[in-house]
């Protein structure tokens, strides 16, 4: 960077140099001697802990099932949920199971768990599954938590050194992994060790805490992120209070007595939404079959970005028979490829949805005879698989999730950067990288897009206008409560990574303390949500979960550009879409988000 040659580099190349220097510093390149050795040891330990955390969540999710034979006990559940539960039962030995008569097996995997919380009249079933879900990968006995607190207390008091204390935590964690006859799945000691190691690593780098390490490569600072979270809380809290009062009153009107518990809220919120907007989420499933949704989604991508998506199954090996392979053409020539793995497979696949790269666009990595290596992405979802002769019928939330993930994939695939280290999603600030994904979600409510994908899988009829109007009206239903939920996760994440825990405070105490400010109703005493919070303990979102909200502000501004141009003005939509393609999507990490010219960044 200090050489004369730096001035002759392109902007993208300069950014690579600057990013590499920053990342090298954050990776401990300036450390020497014992500090360097300790830093490297921490890195290795954290990699193992992350894998263990993820495996514990997966294993504990798989470990619980509930088998029901009494038809009355599954009252209220929609046909799709019963069909999946019957299919699961059949796969586990109940060969004669039918959706109508069971037996049924429910799991903690999202396509099974969520319908129970939303629709099951059986309150005991809802409560049982909620408790099992919110305590995944944990032990509810106070002994494990208090023992960890004792170790941290010794560190704080000076009775043992910080490194010795972390070693004690790590030893306790490894002992729980299988020195006995059975493996413990408790993630609390895993979390404690991860946080302690991340804090020690930050101090080795001369930084206050891990939150500063995390935000060093983001748009926001720690203080800036906390300020935005508080600003959003102030704007949302009163709405959330009103929403809770309305929900409690509604439940009472439905004959419910007493205070709503978490396993009641989702159920009555779904009933309230149905009453307010006169439709059930299940009413939409027949109109959103995966094949038609893909048709609509691909048509939108063509409409906005002037590219074509075509099936390329068979051109590349796949890891499961349900995985699809697609090719993106630009000006009639291949520009990128992507895999789509749409269905839930709880026995071997973690929950949630994600996109990641298989290969980035790169001039350096081009094959002999080629100018550039084309990007390849994979998109993974966990929606309900086909049942019997029916195609995969999607909830509207699953449709939004698919749109979200292709937003990520498009930034990876439509980049024009040829320097691999800043092509596509590479080099993009983490709190800006969600901008294209959240931007794409807005198009789920665009009439021209919906008309192409909302078609009944049996009759071929388009979605009735009155039903679709209710869907749009329901878009902001309980928006205040949903906002507070995400803010609670974000602030808990930031606080856990900017403080040291003592003997008087556990990670679960911090979670519940944040909830006092950021939630209207408080978590259950046994709540161990953090033990399943893979985003920050097994993913890349540590001290960065706030990024979803940060990027939501940016994506709202981007979609506003289309609204201002006129969503029904096709020429303007295409013109604005090409602008979005040639800036945010094309430039990737080749320039900072704030320096993209002509784009309405705040």
């Amino acid at each position: 960077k200090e050489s004369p040659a730096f001035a002759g580099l392109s902007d993208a190349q300069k950014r690579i140099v600057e990013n590499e220097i920053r990342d090298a510093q954050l990776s401990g390149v300036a450390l020497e001697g014992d500090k360097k050795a300790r830093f490297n040891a921490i890195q290795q330990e954290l990699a193992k802990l992350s894998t263990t955390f993820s495996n514990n969540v997966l294993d504990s999710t798989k470990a619980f099932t509930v088998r029901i034979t009494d038809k009355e006990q599954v009252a209220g559940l929609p046909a799709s949920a019963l069909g999946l539960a019957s299919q699961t039962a059949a796969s586990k030995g109940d060969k004669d199971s039918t959706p109508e008569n069971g037996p049924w097996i429910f799991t903690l995997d999202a396509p099974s768990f969520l319908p129970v919380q939303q629709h099951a009249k059986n309150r005991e079933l809802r409560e049982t599954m909620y408790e099992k879900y919110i305590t995944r990968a944990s032990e509810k006995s106070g002994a494990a938590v208090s023992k960890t607190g004792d170790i941290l207390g010794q560190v704080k008091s000076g009775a043992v050194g910080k490194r010795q204390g972390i070693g004690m935590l790590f030893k306790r964690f490894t002992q729980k992994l299988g020195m006995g006859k059975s493996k413990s799945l408790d993630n609390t000691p895993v979390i404690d060790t991860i946080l302690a190691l991340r804090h020690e690593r930050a101090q080795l780098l001369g930084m206050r805490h891990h939150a500063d390490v995390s935000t060093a490569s983001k748009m926001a600072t720690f203080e800036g992120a906390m300020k935005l979270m508080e600003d959003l809380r102030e704007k949302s809290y009163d709405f959330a209070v009103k929403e809770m009062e309305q929900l409690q009153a509604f439940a009472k009107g439905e004959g419910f007595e007493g205070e709503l518990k978490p396993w009641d809220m989702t159920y009555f919120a779904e009933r309230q939404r149905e009453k307010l907007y006169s439709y059930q989420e299940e009413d939409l499933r027949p109109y959103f079959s995966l094949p038609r949704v893909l048709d609509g989604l691909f048509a939108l991508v063509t409409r906005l970005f002037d590219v074509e998506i075509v099936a390329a199954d068979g051109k590349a090996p796949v890891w499961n028979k349900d995985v699809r392979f697609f090719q993106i053409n630009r000006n009639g020539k291949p520009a990128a490829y992507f895999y789509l793995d749409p269905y839930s497979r709880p026995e071997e696949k973690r929950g949630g949805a994600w996109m990641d790269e298989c290969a980035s666009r790169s001039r350096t990595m081009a094959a002999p005879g080629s100018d550039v290596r084309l990007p390849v992405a994979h998109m993974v979802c966990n929606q309900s698989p086909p049942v019997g002769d029916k195609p995969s019928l999607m909830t509207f939330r699953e449709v939004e999730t698919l749109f979200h993930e292709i937003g990520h994939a498009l930034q990876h695939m439509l980049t024009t950067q040829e320097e691999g280290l800043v092509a596509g999603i590479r080099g993009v600030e983490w709190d800006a990288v969600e901008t294209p994904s959240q931007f794409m979600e807005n198009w789920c409510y665009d009439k021209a897009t919906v008309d192409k994908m909302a078609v009944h899988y049996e009759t071929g009829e388009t979605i009735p206008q009155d039903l679709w109007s209710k869907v749009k009206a329901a878009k902001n239903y309980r928006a205040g409560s949903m906002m507070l939920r995400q803010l609670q996760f974000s602030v808990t994440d930031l606080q856990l990574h900017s403080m040291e825990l003592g003997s008087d405070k556990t990670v679960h105490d911090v979670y519940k303390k944040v909830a006092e400010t950021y939630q209207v109703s408080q978590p259950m005493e046994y709540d161990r949500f953090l033990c399943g919070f893979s985003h920050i303990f097994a993913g890349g979102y540590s001290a960065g979960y706030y990024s979803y909200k940060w990027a939501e502000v940016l994506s709202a501004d981007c979609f506003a550009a289309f609204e201002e141009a006129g969503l029904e003005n096709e020429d303007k939509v295409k013109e604005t879409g090409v602008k979005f393609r040639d800036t945010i999507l094309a430039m990737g990490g080749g320039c900072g988000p704030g320096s993209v010219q002509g784009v309405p960044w705040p």
Side-chain angles (χ1 to χ4, degrees):
K1 184 177 180 180
E2 294 175 354
S3 73
F6 183 78
L9 299 180
S10 68
D11 289 344
Q13 290 171 330
K14 288 179 180 178
R15 185 163 159 86
I16 289 172
V17 171
E18 292 165 349
N19 287 351
E20 289 297 306
I21 292 173
R22 178 201 67 205
D23 292 344
Q25 291 171 334
L26 294 177
S27 296
V29 71
L31 300 177
E32 297 179 350
D34 290 344
K35 288 185 176 181
K36 190 178 189 70
R38 178 57 185 161
F39 186 94
N40 290 337
I42 289 174
Q43 295 288 76
Q44 292 178 347
E45 291 174 12
L46 284 172
K48 294 176 184 177
L49 289 163
S50 176
T51 299
T52 299
F53 185 99
S54 184
N55 287 342
N56 283 350
V57 175
L58 183 61
D59 290 344
S60 63
T61 299
K62 288 170 19 181
F64 174 81
T65 60
V66 56
R67 181 176 180 271
I68 296 178
T69 58
D70 184 353
K71 197 169 186 176
E72 291 185 4
Q73 298 302 307
V74 295
L77 284 166
S80 59
L82 294 176
L84 180 60
S86 174
Q87 187 169 279
T88 303
S91 71
K92 294 182 179 294
D94 287 308
K95 301 302 182 184
D96 297 328
S97 173
T98 65
E100 296 77 19
N101 299 309
W104 304 272
I105 289 182
F106 298 95
T107 72
L108 298 181
D109 199 50
S112 180
F113 170 76
L114 290 176
V116 170
Q117 296 300 303
Q118 290 177 315
H119 301 292
K121 294 181 180 180
N122 184 341
R123 191 181 187 224
E124 182 178 351
L125 176 62
R126 297 201 311 267
E127 180 180 1
T128 297
M129 290 192 66
Y130 177 84
E131 181 175 347
K132 293 295 183 182
Y133 186 86
I134 209 67
T135 57
R136 288 178 304 160
S138 74
E139 292 178 358
K140 292 186 291 182
S141 64
V145 176
S146 62
K147 186 173 181 182
T148 301
D150 291 343
I151 295 173
L152 293 168
Q154 293 179 58
V155 174
K156 189 175 182 180
S157 67
V160 300
K162 181 179 295 184
R163 187 175 301 181
Q164 181 184 356
I166 294 173
M168 292 165 66
L169 281 171
F170 191 70
K171 181 179 180 181
R172 173 175 171 249
F173 150 69
T174 53
Q175 287 174 339
K176 294 177 73 64
L177 281 189
M179 295 300 185
K181 293 183 179 180
S182 61
K183 174 184 173 183
S184 169
L185 300 179
D186 183 16
N187 268 342
T188 296
V190 183
I191 293 171
D192 290 328
T193 310
I194 287 173
L195 291 175
L197 289 172
R198 286 174 177 171
H199 186 76
E200 183 185 359
R201 181 179 61 183
Q203 295 199 316
L204 285 171
L205 294 172
M207 305 181 86
R208 292 179 300 175
H209 40 60
H210 177 71
D212 280 350
V213 176
S214 174
T215 54
S217 56
K218 296 180 174 65
M219 289 183 72
T221 61
F222 166 70
E223 286 78 13
M226 287 291 289
K227 182 180 184 302
L228 177 63
M229 299 303 103
E230 178 58 22
D231 287 347
L232 292 174
R233 187 198 71 82
E234 290 180 356
K235 291 178 172 62
S236 306
Y237 192 83
D238 289 346
F239 287 98
V241 170
K242 186 176 181 180
E243 289 165 0
M244 180 56 69
E245 291 172 349
Q246 291 173 339
L247 185 63
Q248 185 76 50
F250 172 81
K252 185 176 181 180
E254 294 291 302
F256 179 83
E257 296 295 335
E259 181 183 355
L260 289 172
K261 300 296 184 183
W263 53 90
D264 300 316
M265 293 176 191
T266 305
Y267 175 79
F268 282 108
E270 187 66 14
R271 306 288 79 73
Q272 184 186 41
R273 188 183 61 77
E274 290 168 359
K275 186 168 184 178
L276 288 174
Y277 306 109
S278 302
Y279 80 93
Q280 298 182 12
E281 191 171 84
E282 288 298 311
D283 292 340
L284 295 171
R285 274 191 193 266
Y287 294 96
F288 291 107
S289 64
L290 178 60
R292 291 304 299 253
V293 170
L294 290 179
D295 288 345
L297 175 56
F298 295 169
L300 172 67
V301 172
T302 298
R303 175 190 179 205
L304 294 181
F305 308 128
D306 194 25
V307 296
E308 180 188 21
I309 301 178
V310 296
D313 298 296
K315 287 190 175 182
V318 295
W319 53 94
N320 183 276
K321 63 180 179 60
D322 293 324
V323 175
R324 300 286 311 278
F325 191 64
F326 295 92
Q327 175 178 311
I328 293 186
N329 295 327
R330 186 169 179 178
N331 299 324
K333 297 180 180 180
Y337 303 90
F338 68 94
Y339 293 92
L340 173 64
D341 184 354
Y343 307 134
S344 169
R345 297 190 300 277
E347 69 280 358
E348 65 179 14
K349 180 179 174 183
R350 66 179 171 90
W354 62 94
M355 169 270 161
D356 210 338
E357 61 179 41
C358 300
S360 66
R361 183 180 175 88
S362 171
R363 182 180 65 251
T364 303
M365 299 298 291
S370 300
D371 295 329
V372 66
R373 180 180 71 179
L374 298 180
V376 183
H378 64 258
M379 293 165 48
V380 184
C381 299
N382 264 285
Q383 65 199 54
S384 301
V387 176
D389 296 331
K390 296 180 180 179
S392 174
L393 300 178
M394 306 171 68
T395 67
F396 191 65
R397 294 174 188 175
E398 288 171 342
V399 174
E400 289 179 301
T401 296
L402 182 62
F403 273 62
H404 179 102
E405 298 307 331
I406 204 170
H408 285 308
L410 289 169
Q411 185 168 40
H412 174 65
M413 296 187 293
L414 298 188
T415 185
T416 56
Q417 293 288 353
E418 296 186 352
E419 300 291 347
L421 292 176
V422 289
I425 60 174
R426 290 188 175 195
V428 179
E429 283 80 349
W430 196 277
D431 44 5
V433 80
E434 292 291 338
T435 303
S437 56
Q438 297 196 68
F439 162 79
M440 286 298 293
E441 290 183 42
N442 290 284
W443 294 99
C444 293
Y445 296 90
D446 172 58
K447 189 176 187 303
T449 302
V450 172
D451 286 346
K452 288 183 173 64
M453 65 181 181
V455 178
H456 198 286
Y457 80 101
E458 289 180 318
T459 66
E461 296 177 355
T462 58
I463 190 169
Q465 184 56 47
D466 62 331
L467 177 57
W468 181 243
S469 297
K470 293 167 185 173
V471 173
K472 292 190 69 173
K475 181 181 180 182
N476 292 325
Y477 173 63
R478 291 181 60 78
S481 301
M482 298 301 179
M483 173 70 79
L484 288 188
R485 176 178 168 82
Q486 291 300 305
L487 295 178
Q488 180 194 359
F489 297 163
S490 300
V491 173
T492 300
D493 173 33
L494 287 167
Q495 289 200 0
L496 286 174
H497 287 102
S498 62
M499 63 188 297
E500 287 190 87
L501 298 176
S503 59
D504 60 336
K505 188 177 295 184
T506 71
V507 293
H508 307 298
D509 293 332
V510 174
Y511 175 77
K512 291 171 183 174
K513 184 65 176 177
V514 172
E516 292 178 7
T517 302
Y518 281 83
Q519 283 293 305
V520 175
S521 59
Q522 299 309 298
M524 302 300 293
E525 182 279 329
Y526 57 73
D527 190 309
R528 293 293 182 270
F529 167 80
L530 291 177
C531 288
F533 199 4
S534 296
H535 276 75
I536 69 172
F537 297 119
Y541 280 88
S542 60
Y545 195 81
Y546 77 89
S547 299
Y548 283 104
K549 288 301 167 189
W550 189 273
E552 192 174 329
V553 174
L554 305 182
S555 66
D557 282 345
C558 289
F559 189 71
F562 288 83
E563 293 178 313
E564 290 164 7
L567 293 179
E568 297 181 358
N569 186 329
E570 200 61 23
D571 290 339
K572 286 292 186 180
V573 166
K574 290 181 177 180
E575 177 186 330
T576 310
V578 168
K579 183 179 179 182
F580 187 91
R581 181 197 70 190
D582 292 343
T583 52
I584 294 170
L585 300 182
M587 293 179 179
C591 67
S595 62
V596 177
Q597 296 300 311
V599 177
W601 299 105

